[in-house]
Amino acid sequence: MAASEVPAPIVPVTFEMALDNAARILRNAELETNLPVMERLERLADSWIALARTITEAGS
């Protein structure tokens, strides 16, 4: 980043954002024909789901 650029504001991740990301990644995984890539996408989606669960538990 150049010295004159202003960094983007940090937006906290919400439960809905985490689930939306997981759903988007899983939709892409369904279209993937390369099995190792599909498995990586599924693991990435699992991480977003775990984050959503953590957000929910923290709010309880």
Side-chain angles (χ1 to χ4, degrees), residues 11-21 48 51-53 55-56:
V11 178
V13 176
T14 65
F15 173 80
E16 291 81 12
M17 291 168 65
L19 283 186
D20 286 346
N21 281 333
W48 279 106
L51 179 60
R53 186 178 305 119
I55 292 169
T56 300

Side-chain angles (χ1 to χ4, degrees), residues 19-40:
L19 283 186
D20 286 346
N21 281 333
R24 179 179 47 80
I25 292 166
L26 287 173
R27 282 192 298 272
N28 288 327
E30 288 177 351
L31 300 173
E32 185 58 55
T33 58
N34 182 328
L35 184 59
V37 172
M38 181 192 307
E39 290 171 344
R40 287 185 197 141

